[in-house]
Amino acid sequence: MGLDFTAIDFETANGFRGSPCAVGLSKVRGGVVVEEASWLMRPPENYDTFDHHNVRIHGIRPDQVAGLPRFGELFPEIGAFIGGDVLAAHNAAFDLGVIRSGLEVSGLPGPAYDYVCTVMLSRRCYSLVSNSLPYAAEEAGVPLVNHHDAAEDARACAGILIDIARRNGAASIAELHLSLGLAVSHQPAFDPRLDPLSKATVAALDALAGGTATPSRRPFVSGWPEEGPNPEPSAAASPGHPLFGQTVVFTGELAIPRTEAKVRSAELGARPESRVTARTTVLVVGDGFVAADLRSGRLTGKARRVLELHERGQRIEVLSEGEFLQMVGGHVVAASA
């Protein structure tokens, strides 16, 4: 087998993963992009409200998708393009979650997919202060002019995986993961008549009904955020999740309570701590931080400390809160990372 896969990227209309409004796909054969496809679409009915945070990021407006097929109607074409390929995505838990939640609220069954995450591969193979798509694409030598254009982001993801395979002398996805001591992840098939809804979909349905499972953005409160306790990593967490085994510290004002952020990270196998130390591997930055701020200098004290440690050779990564919430399956206030 050669280096064959399909890279995928979704943009969503709002904070629920099951609200896709655009998708981009790049098919790779033998380490070369051979075919591409992209679609705009209406999100599933009742989940098609466009949040201004998302529109500000990806620029897709409701009028641009009015009258287009909904995600459930379009998925047969998307699925046909993917075929039996391994999927690659940058923060794959998010994009695979879009497929699962989008089909769930559309009342449609979903196929099984093997998938790989280029965020995790970037962490293993590059030494970057941020593994967000623009930084990883730059390291891979892949042009990325219009970040959050689904087609261009999928193409960049494909280029990152091709570059990482080349650097590791791997001729296939299986060979690459074997050389890195990683396993290819798997999302099982599901049948809406038999299988329970995913956690992200349950939370969205609860929020739609007026519940509180999906948090909303809190108003800014002056003073230091409450750190709270640091729970132990869950022994039942999946080693395939990008937060598994990481030591995570939070800084700045978050959209959710910091105590809740710590619980969510621990549930996924991370160890939350309250200050940056030599053990820190991930810093999550609130206050509207985006990866570009690492170059502009708009940083908290903890973030500056991280940059100092990174320059000294410590493997440490900075995440925006939006990237973190995508990883933990929470309310996302921006589009795909």
Side-chain angles (χ1 to χ4, degrees), residues 234 237-238 241 243-245 263-270 327-329:
S234 170
S238 169
H241 194 276
L243 288 177
F244 184 86
V263 169
R264 291 192 186 190
S265 60
E267 288 175 344
L268 293 166
M327 290 181 179
V328 302

Side-chain angles (χ1 to χ4, degrees), residues 97-120:
V98 171
I99 294 175
R100 176 68 183 255
S101 291
L103 290 174
E104 284 178 333
V105 297
S106 300
L108 298 172
Y113 288 113
D114 290 331
Y115 66 92
V116 299
C117 178
T118 50
V119 169
M120 293 188 68

Side-chain angles (χ1 to χ4, degrees), residues 174-194:
E175 187 176 328
L176 173 63
H177 280 65
L178 183 63
S179 70
L180 297 173
L182 297 172
V184 174
S185 298
H186 180 76
Q187 177 163 284
F190 68 93
D191 185 330
R193 299 168 300 177
L194 303 174

Side-chain angles (χ1 to χ4, degrees), residues 6-336:
T6 292
I8 189 168
D9 179 83
F10 281 103
E11 302 297 333
T12 57
N14 55 63
F16 172 45
R17 287 181 176 183
S19 65
C21 59
V23 65
L25 300 125
S26 289
K27 185 174 290 291
V28 173
R29 290 292 180 265
V32 177
V33 175
V34 296
E35 187 178 1
E36 296 183 321
S38 63
W39 290 274
L40 291 176
M41 69 195 77
R42 281 189 296 164
E45 190 173 3
N46 298 323
Y47 300 90
D48 50 5
T49 299
F50 277 71
D51 186 281
H52 77 276
H53 293 291
N54 293 60
V55 174
R56 179 169 53 84
I57 294 294
H58 54 54
I60 301 168
R61 304 182 307 276
D63 60 284
Q64 292 176 270
V65 302
L68 294 180
R70 292 194 185 274
F71 170 72
E73 300 170 283
L74 194 58
F75 188 75
E77 290 185 66
I78 298 171
F81 186 94
I82 297 168
D85 279 5
V86 173
L87 282 175
H90 206 71
N91 190 10
F94 173 77
D95 294 280
L96 272 292
V98 171
I99 294 175
R100 176 68 183 255
S101 291
L103 290 174
E104 284 178 333
V105 297
S106 300
L108 298 172
Y113 288 113
D114 290 331
Y115 66 92
V116 299
C117 178
T118 50
V119 169
M120 293 188 68
L121 292 171
S122 175
R123 284 179 178 167
R124 285 295 186 102
C125 301
Y126 300 152
S127 181
L128 304 174
V129 71
S130 169
N131 287 290
S132 65
L133 190 63
Y135 277 76
E138 181 180 26
E139 177 68 18
V142 179
L144 180 59
V145 177
N146 297 312
H147 184 27
H148 294 298
D149 174 272
E152 189 162 345
D153 284 1
R155 189 181 308 125
C157 173
I160 292 165
L161 182 47
I162 292 167
D163 178 67
I164 288 173
R166 179 188 59 79
R167 294 190 188 201
N168 286 273
S172 69
I173 296 291
E175 187 176 328
L176 173 63
H177 280 65
L178 183 63
S179 70
L180 297 173
L182 297 172
V184 174
S185 298
H186 180 76
Q187 177 163 284
F190 68 93
D191 185 330
R193 299 168 300 177
L194 303 174
D195 298 319
L197 296 176
S198 63
K199 183 178 178 181
T201 301
V202 169
L205 290 171
D206 180 80
L208 190 67
T212 58
T214 301
S216 59
R217 177 167 288 280
R218 298 183 300 149
F220 177 79
V221 179
S222 62
W224 294 106
E226 175 61 39
E227 283 285 348
N230 293 310
E232 289 294 312
S234 170
S238 169
H241 194 276
L243 288 177
F244 184 86
Q246 304 297 319
T247 299
V248 183
V249 175
F250 299 88
T251 184
E253 188 70 21
L254 305 178
I256 63 174
R258 193 171 290 183
T259 50
E260 181 181 343
K262 289 186 174 186
V263 169
R264 291 192 186 190
S265 60
E267 288 175 344
L268 293 166
R271 180 175 297 279
E273 293 191 344
S274 299
R275 62 189 183 91
V276 175
T277 70
R279 293 185 299 272
T280 306
T281 58
V282 173
L283 180 72
V284 179
V285 184
D287 295 323
F289 166 86
V290 293
D293 292 336
L294 290 168
R295 292 192 173 108
S296 70
R298 192 179 75 86
L299 301 171
T300 66
K302 284 183 181 177
R304 290 191 183 92
R305 172 66 173 152
V306 163
L307 290 179
E308 292 171 3
L309 291 172
H310 192 269
E311 289 174 358
R312 296 176 189 175
Q314 182 173 339
R315 296 293 291 262
I316 193 165
E317 177 184 2
V318 178
L319 291 178
S320 69
E321 185 185 12
E323 291 170 316
F324 170 75
L325 286 173
Q326 286 182 345
M327 290 181 179
V328 302
H331 181 68
V332 183
V333 297
S336 176

